[in-house]
Amino acid sequence: MGPLLLSESVSHLGLWASGLILVLGFLKVIRLLMRRQFLARAMDSFPGPPTHWLFGHALEVQQTGSLDKFVSWAHEFPHAHPLWYGRFLGFLNIYDPEYAKVVYSRGDPKTPDTYDFLLPWIGKGLLVLHGPQWSQHRKLLTPGFHFDVLKPYVTAFAESTNSMLDKWEEKARENKSFDIFGDVGHMALDTLMKCIFGKGHSGLSLRDSNYYMAVKELTLLTQERIETFQYHNDFIYKLTAHGRRFLRACQVAHDHTDQVIRERKAALQDKKEQERIQNQRHLDLLDILLGARDESGIRLSDADLRAEVDTFMFEGHDTTTSGISWLLYCMARYPEHQHRCREEVCQVLGDRNTIQW
């Protein structure tokens, strides 16, 4: 009798579990369909390229190359157009400044769609926070962006930029065109390692180099995940080789940041070390975050510290690299504007090679 009752109990438990999974799956599908309807309704007014019923525009982007495809669409739809990666992840690609002003002035809440892909790496920093938590972190970070704090960083910017320009001088001697994007990304990461961790002036250690490479890989993998419809589901993504690479790189990045935070906090227990840091030419971002407190004397937790550091490594590297690369491209296309920029820089610097405050 005992084994029979146990068998029936297990059978009932299995049925309950199956029913729960079906209900949760059904609710997930309903949520996705509602999200799709909301996005489609918001973007219906904008003409755009035809979409595949399942993959959206993802297959076209993968087959043609995202940049070439976006450029052709920009000519065809010069103001804005919808862009779908699969059926449930949609964006409005905006090319017209007037359109951008209208959309960005709306003050809509941050969309979780793509930020959810970043959470395992950057955690809940300023980029994804909202409400009271965002306000608290913003107040604690504000001292790090005071103009007098930022001024000394210009030397670090110049060092990294000069290293990049030295590379370009060597490449230019070959009289061949070359892709600047990788070099600009290297320069941005080098600058961030100096300004966030105080690294880079005497070369990176093996641990720092591994972190450096992990950040580059995480940025690339995140972009590839957005563009690949099959990778949008978290469960499926973690089972793929691509997903496992992402998780390994996340671990490398987290281990590095956690260790630097532990070492820096331990060092700050020493009064001599505190004095040395205060007398430095400039404080790095981690020093500022470790010393930040709100009105109640509450500091950022170690998890919050890591989230903010990793957020700035992502945003400062990826966004800056794209912005600088496009700026240089546009100036090359329009020499008259390049000349005006050069005149303004020469007027500010005079016969010096860097800014003096």
Side-chain angles (χ1 to χ4, degrees):
M1 181 65 81
L4 184 61
L5 287 172
L6 181 61
S7 176
E8 288 181 359
S9 298
V10 170
S11 177
H12 286 136
L13 186 61
L15 286 171
W16 274 103
S18 300
L20 181 61
I21 290 170
L22 283 172
V23 169
L24 291 174
F26 179 73
L27 291 174
K28 177 71 172 176
V29 169
I30 293 294
R31 199 177 116 202
L32 285 172
L33 289 172
M34 290 176 66
R35 176 69 180 161
R36 163 74 188 191
Q37 188 178 29
F38 170 77
L39 287 172
R41 193 165 53 241
M43 294 192 283
D44 268 351
S45 302
F46 298 92
T51 61
H52 185 277
W53 70 273
L54 179 61
F55 297 107
H57 300 110
L59 289 180
E60 274 191 274
V61 169
Q62 289 171 19
Q63 291 166 1
T64 312
S66 56
L67 183 57
D68 291 335
K69 181 50 68 176
F70 291 154
V71 169
S72 70
W73 283 337
H75 288 300
E76 191 176 351
F77 309 99
H79 303 296
H81 70 80
L83 176 66
W84 290 95
Y85 291 116
R87 286 194 61 78
F88 306 112
L89 184 61
F91 303 91
L92 182 66
N93 267 17
I94 301 174
Y95 306 105
D96 187 290
E98 296 305 317
Y99 276 51
K101 284 180 188 176
V102 173
V103 173
Y104 293 144
S105 64
R106 284 169 50 91
D108 292 317
K110 297 175 182 177
T111 174
D113 292 338
T114 49
Y115 293 150
D116 284 350
F117 297 158
L118 290 165
L119 280 178
W121 170 22
I122 66 172
K124 293 189 176 181
L126 273 181
L127 181 63
V128 297
L129 287 175
H130 51 82
Q133 264 194 306
W134 182 90
S135 299
Q136 185 205 23
H137 280 225
R138 185 69 184 85
K139 283 180 183 176
L140 290 170
L141 286 165
T142 297
F145 296 90
H146 189 280
F147 198 56
D148 288 333
V149 173
L150 294 175
K151 281 179 183 178
Y153 287 170
V154 173
T155 304
F157 299 163
E159 288 173 359
S160 299
T161 304
N162 286 333
S163 297
M164 178 181 72
L165 293 177
D166 289 343
K167 287 183 192 174
W168 287 358
E169 282 189 7
E170 290 181 17
K171 291 181 179 180
R173 293 192 189 102
E174 299 175 9
N175 289 321
K176 295 179 183 177
S177 62
F178 58 91
D179 187 353
I180 67 168
F181 191 82
D183 292 333
V184 174
H186 189 281
M187 178 273 295
L189 270 177
D190 189 54
T191 303
L192 284 166
M193 292 293 283
K194 293 172 182 174
C195 296
I196 292 179
F197 296 116
K199 303 286 183 179
H201 296 286
S202 56
L204 300 177
S205 68
L206 176 62
R207 190 184 75 194
D208 296 328
S209 297
N210 289 339
Y211 175 73
Y212 189 96
M213 296 305 297
V215 170
K216 290 178 71 173
E217 184 170 35
L218 286 165
T219 304
L220 178 64
L221 290 173
T222 300
Q223 183 61 37
E224 288 178 356
R225 184 180 181 187
I226 291 170
E227 294 178 356
T228 308
F229 164 69
Q230 304 92 303
Y231 293 160
H232 290 177
N233 180 272
D234 288 339
F235 179 74
I236 294 172
Y237 184 63
K238 288 174 183 176
L239 297 177
T240 66
H242 195 283
R244 291 192 294 272
R245 276 176 62 201
F246 181 84
L247 293 175
R248 283 196 298 270
C250 278
Q251 194 61 53
V252 171
H254 292 164
D255 288 347
H256 174 274
T257 307
D258 287 342
Q259 187 166 348
V260 172
I261 290 171
R262 284 195 302 271
E263 290 173 356
R264 194 69 60 87
K265 288 178 82 170
L268 288 172
Q269 301 301 314
D270 184 351
K271 287 186 177 179
K272 288 184 179 178
E273 182 65 16
Q274 287 183 21
E275 290 175 6
R276 186 191 69 78
I277 289 173
Q278 291 298 327
N279 293 329
Q280 280 181 156
R281 182 175 48 171
H282 64 79
L283 298 176
D284 58 48
L285 180 67
L286 186 54
D287 289 328
I288 293 166
L289 292 177
L290 284 168
R293 302 185 188 194
D294 65 13
E295 297 87 347
S296 307
I298 297 174
R299 299 174 182 267
L300 291 170
S301 67
D302 284 359
D304 289 335
L305 283 168
R306 186 177 79 184
E308 295 302 348
V309 166
D310 288 341
T311 293
F312 275 93
M313 284 300 294
F314 165 66
E315 288 191 293
H317 161 237
D318 184 64
T319 311
T320 305
T321 301
S322 298
I324 291 174
S325 298
W326 278 112
L327 170 68
L328 294 175
Y329 171 79
C330 290
M331 286 208 293
R333 288 288 305 273
Y334 302 99
E336 66 276 15
H337 293 284
Q338 181 182 155
H339 180 68
R340 287 170 63 185
C341 289
R342 183 176 180 79
E343 280 188 334
E344 185 176 337
V345 170
C346 291
Q347 188 178 358
V348 171
L349 292 181
D351 56 357
R352 303 184 302 273
N353 60 6
T354 187
I355 280 185
Q356 292 180 354
W357 304 105

